[in-house]
Amino acid sequence: DAKASVYSSGEYKIIIFAPSLTGVQDNNLSAVKTAQQISENLNSYNKKFALKINFGIGVNSGILIAEKMKDRFRFTPVGNTVIAARKLAVHSHEDVLISDALYRKVTGTVRCEKAHGISAWKIVKVIDRSRHHGFVGGIYGKAVGR
């Protein structure tokens, strides 16, 4: 649903939220929401079945050189964008950890607590304000004379 691209790299899955794929310039919150939903689904599975899935999810925001040609999407990470997300995933134990840089970008819509032993934040809750959008938009529209 997020229109992201999924790649496999060994035992890791890398999900890229690039504007050229999603059609949205700022994909930070979408990436966090998707990561949280994946975590909830895997934890739900682990509660129901004997065969457990050990996982960790790390989310980072950074620069990629991306190219979309026909039905193919290719990317090259700049700096440690993917490496940092992988490091967060390694330190996360059935949770979602986000980088400091991403935390600063989503701080108003995501409740987090500082992770221990690593420079990262553990997601506690993603605040969904979409159900209030019509109400707030209606009030705002009336306030400015629309």
Side-chain angles (χ1 to χ4, degrees):
D1 292 342
K3 300 179 185 173
S5 186
V6 180
Y7 291 89
S8 292
S9 176
E11 62 182 6
Y12 295 95
K13 301 291 183 205
I14 300 168
I15 304 174
I16 304 294
F17 289 82
S20 59
L21 290 171
T22 63
V24 178
Q25 192 60 34
D26 184 6
N27 289 288
N28 295 312
L29 185 57
S30 182
V32 170
K33 283 182 177 181
T34 301
Q36 184 67 14
Q37 187 174 14
I38 291 169
S39 175
E40 289 170 1
N41 290 345
L42 290 172
N43 281 319
S44 176
Y45 172 88
N46 282 343
K47 289 178 184 175
K48 294 177 186 174
F49 299 99
L51 181 62
K52 305 296 183 202
I53 298 173
N54 294 322
F55 71 93
I57 300 174
V59 187
N60 187 30
S61 179
I63 300 171
L64 299 172
I65 298 171
E67 174 183 47
K68 185 177 180 183
M69 296 178 68
K70 297 181 184 175
D71 292 338
R72 292 188 47 94
F73 176 77
R74 296 184 343 184
F75 71 95
T76 302
V78 176
N80 69 344
T81 301
V82 174
I83 294 169
R86 185 178 294 178
K87 183 178 178 181
L88 292 170
V90 167
H91 286 88
S92 171
H93 301 287
E94 299 177 3
D95 286 318
V96 179
L97 292 181
I98 64 173
S99 65
D100 284 330
L102 181 57
Y103 175 71
R104 286 189 296 273
K105 293 177 182 180
V106 297
T107 192
T109 54
V110 178
R111 288 194 188 136
C112 296
E113 60 186 35
K114 187 73 175 146
H116 299 287
I118 185 171
S119 180
W121 297 86
K122 177 184 167 188
I123 293 179
V124 175
K125 181 180 180 181
V126 177
I127 303 165
D128 184 14
R129 293 193 170 109
S130 63
R131 62 187 175 138
H132 303 295
H133 180 69
F135 176 74
V136 173
I139 291 174
Y140 178 74
K142 291 176 184 174
V144 295
R146 291 188 183 164

mmCIF file of all heavy atoms in Angstrom, residues 1 31-43 57 96 126:
data_model
loop_
_atom_site.group_PDB
_atom_site.id
_atom_site.type_symbol
_atom_site.label_atom_id
_atom_site.label_comp_id
_atom_site.label_asym_id
_atom_site.label_seq_id
_atom_site.Cartn_x
_atom_site.Cartn_y
_atom_site.Cartn_z
ATOM 1 N N ASP A 1 0.815 -1.210 0.000
ATOM 2 C CA ASP A 1 0.000 0.000 0.000
ATOM 3 C C ASP A 1 0.855 1.270 0.000
ATOM 4 O O ASP A 1 0.405 2.303 -0.464
ATOM 5 C CB ASP A 1 -0.921 0.016 1.215
ATOM 6 C CG ASP A 1 -2.000 -1.065 1.144
ATOM 7 O OD1 ASP A 1 -2.253 -1.582 0.038
ATOM 8 O OD2 ASP A 1 -2.580 -1.379 2.194
ATOM 9 N N ALA A 31 7.217 5.582 6.334
ATOM 10 C CA ALA A 31 8.175 4.511 6.638
ATOM 11 C C ALA A 31 8.019 4.035 8.080
ATOM 12 O O ALA A 31 8.035 2.835 8.358
ATOM 13 C CB ALA A 31 9.600 5.002 6.394
ATOM 14 N N VAL A 32 7.835 4.967 9.000
ATOM 15 C CA VAL A 32 7.668 4.613 10.412
ATOM 16 C C VAL A 32 6.367 3.841 10.622
ATOM 17 O O VAL A 32 6.337 2.832 11.324
ATOM 18 C CB VAL A 32 7.723 5.873 11.304
ATOM 19 C CG1 VAL A 32 7.318 5.557 12.733
ATOM 20 C CG2 VAL A 32 9.115 6.478 11.275
ATOM 21 N N LYS A 33 5.276 4.314 9.999
ATOM 22 C CA LYS A 33 3.990 3.617 10.137
ATOM 23 C C LYS A 33 4.071 2.201 9.576
ATOM 24 O O LYS A 33 3.547 1.258 10.170
ATOM 25 C CB LYS A 33 2.885 4.387 9.405
ATOM 26 C CG LYS A 33 2.394 5.604 10.129
ATOM 27 C CD LYS A 33 1.275 6.256 9.330
ATOM 28 C CE LYS A 33 0.685 7.446 10.041
ATOM 29 N NZ LYS A 33 -0.415 8.052 9.265
ATOM 30 N N THR A 34 4.718 2.055 8.433
ATOM 31 C CA THR A 34 4.858 0.725 7.831
ATOM 32 C C THR A 34 5.691 -0.189 8.720
ATOM 33 O O THR A 34 5.334 -1.355 8.933
ATOM 34 C CB THR A 34 5.485 0.832 6.427
ATOM 35 O OG1 THR A 34 4.652 1.667 5.611
ATOM 36 C CG2 THR A 34 5.637 -0.525 5.784
ATOM 37 N N ALA A 35 6.781 0.330 9.261
ATOM 38 C CA ALA A 35 7.626 -0.466 10.157
ATOM 39 C C ALA A 35 6.848 -0.904 11.394
ATOM 40 O O ALA A 35 6.941 -2.058 11.825
ATOM 41 C CB ALA A 35 8.856 0.341 10.564
ATOM 42 N N GLN A 36 6.061 0.000 11.959
ATOM 43 C CA GLN A 36 5.270 -0.327 13.144
ATOM 44 C C GLN A 36 4.228 -1.390 12.814
ATOM 45 O O GLN A 36 4.000 -2.314 13.591
ATOM 46 C CB GLN A 36 4.596 0.935 13.700
ATOM 47 C CG GLN A 36 3.831 0.719 14.974
ATOM 48 C CD GLN A 36 4.724 0.371 16.155
ATOM 49 O OE1 GLN A 36 5.941 0.531 16.131
ATOM 50 N NE2 GLN A 36 4.127 -0.134 17.205
ATOM 51 N N GLN A 37 3.604 -1.292 11.650
ATOM 52 C CA GLN A 37 2.595 -2.271 11.249
ATOM 53 C C GLN A 37 3.229 -3.644 11.024
ATOM 54 O O GLN A 37 2.666 -4.661 11.435
ATOM 55 C CB GLN A 37 1.884 -1.805 9.979
ATOM 56 C CG GLN A 37 0.721 -2.685 9.593
ATOM 57 C CD GLN A 37 -0.058 -2.116 8.422
ATOM 58 O OE1 GLN A 37 0.393 -1.205 7.737
ATOM 59 N NE2 GLN A 37 -1.232 -2.665 8.198
ATOM 60 N N ILE A 38 4.397 -3.686 10.422
ATOM 61 C CA ILE A 38 5.105 -4.956 10.238
ATOM 62 C C ILE A 38 5.437 -5.569 11.584
ATOM 63 O O ILE A 38 5.246 -6.765 11.807
ATOM 64 C CB ILE A 38 6.380 -4.749 9.389
ATOM 65 C CG1 ILE A 38 6.009 -4.402 7.945
ATOM 66 C CG2 ILE A 38 7.273 -5.986 9.436
ATOM 67 C CD1 ILE A 38 7.177 -3.920 7.107
ATOM 68 N N SER A 39 5.918 -4.754 12.508
ATOM 69 C CA SER A 39 6.250 -5.232 13.848
ATOM 70 C C SER A 39 5.026 -5.806 14.555
ATOM 71 O O SER A 39 5.091 -6.881 15.167
ATOM 72 C CB SER A 39 6.845 -4.089 14.675
ATOM 73 O OG SER A 39 7.077 -4.481 16.004
ATOM 74 N N GLU A 40 3.897 -5.094 14.480
ATOM 75 C CA GLU A 40 2.665 -5.574 15.108
ATOM 76 C C GLU A 40 2.208 -6.897 14.499
ATOM 77 O O GLU A 40 1.791 -7.809 15.216
ATOM 78 C CB GLU A 40 1.565 -4.519 14.983
ATOM 79 C CG GLU A 40 1.791 -3.309 15.860
ATOM 80 C CD GLU A 40 0.838 -2.159 15.571
ATOM 81 O OE1 GLU A 40 -0.041 -2.305 14.676
ATOM 82 O OE2 GLU A 40 0.979 -1.113 16.228
ATOM 83 N N ASN A 41 2.303 -7.023 13.174
ATOM 84 C CA ASN A 41 1.913 -8.270 12.503
ATOM 85 C C ASN A 41 2.810 -9.439 12.915
ATOM 86 O O ASN A 41 2.320 -10.542 13.174
ATOM 87 C CB ASN A 41 1.940 -8.100 10.989
ATOM 88 C CG ASN A 41 0.837 -7.202 10.475
ATOM 89 O OD1 ASN A 41 -0.130 -6.914 11.182
ATOM 90 N ND2 ASN A 41 0.978 -6.742 9.244
ATOM 91 N N LEU A 42 4.121 -9.215 12.986
ATOM 92 C CA LEU A 42 5.038 -10.281 13.378
ATOM 93 C C LEU A 42 4.855 -10.664 14.843
ATOM 94 O O LEU A 42 4.894 -11.843 15.196
ATOM 95 C CB LEU A 42 6.485 -9.867 13.098
ATOM 96 C CG LEU A 42 6.864 -9.774 11.621
ATOM 97 C CD1 LEU A 42 8.254 -9.172 11.462
ATOM 98 C CD2 LEU A 42 6.787 -11.133 10.951
ATOM 99 N N ASN A 43 4.647 -9.680 15.710
ATOM 100 C CA ASN A 43 4.405 -9.985 17.122
ATOM 101 C C ASN A 43 3.097 -10.741 17.306
ATOM 102 O O ASN A 43 3.004 -11.647 18.142
ATOM 103 C CB ASN A 43 4.423 -8.710 17.963
ATOM 104 C CG ASN A 43 5.833 -8.242 18.260
ATOM 105 O OD1 ASN A 43 6.707 -9.035 18.555
ATOM 106 N ND2 ASN A 43 6.058 -6.955 18.140
ATOM 107 N N ILE A 57 13.613 -4.391 13.605
ATOM 108 C CA ILE A 57 13.337 -3.439 12.531
ATOM 109 C C ILE A 57 14.033 -2.120 12.859
ATOM 110 O O ILE A 57 13.874 -1.585 13.948
ATOM 111 C CB ILE A 57 11.822 -3.216 12.355
ATOM 112 C CG1 ILE A 57 11.135 -4.536 12.006
ATOM 113 C CG2 ILE A 57 11.555 -2.163 11.280
ATOM 114 C CD1 ILE A 57 9.622 -4.450 11.952
ATOM 115 N N VAL A 96 10.743 -1.679 16.971
ATOM 116 C CA VAL A 96 11.166 -0.795 15.894
ATOM 117 C C VAL A 96 12.042 0.285 16.494
ATOM 118 O O VAL A 96 11.627 0.987 17.417
ATOM 119 C CB VAL A 96 9.959 -0.147 15.175
ATOM 120 C CG1 VAL A 96 10.432 0.787 14.074
ATOM 121 C CG2 VAL A 96 9.027 -1.204 14.611
ATOM 122 N N VAL A 126 2.577 5.279 17.258
ATOM 123 C CA VAL A 126 2.441 6.201 16.150
ATOM 124 C C VAL A 126 1.083 6.870 16.311
ATOM 125 O O VAL A 126 0.058 6.195 16.405
ATOM 126 C CB VAL A 126 2.526 5.484 14.788
ATOM 127 C CG1 VAL A 126 2.311 6.463 13.649
ATOM 128 C CG2 VAL A 126 3.871 4.773 14.634
#
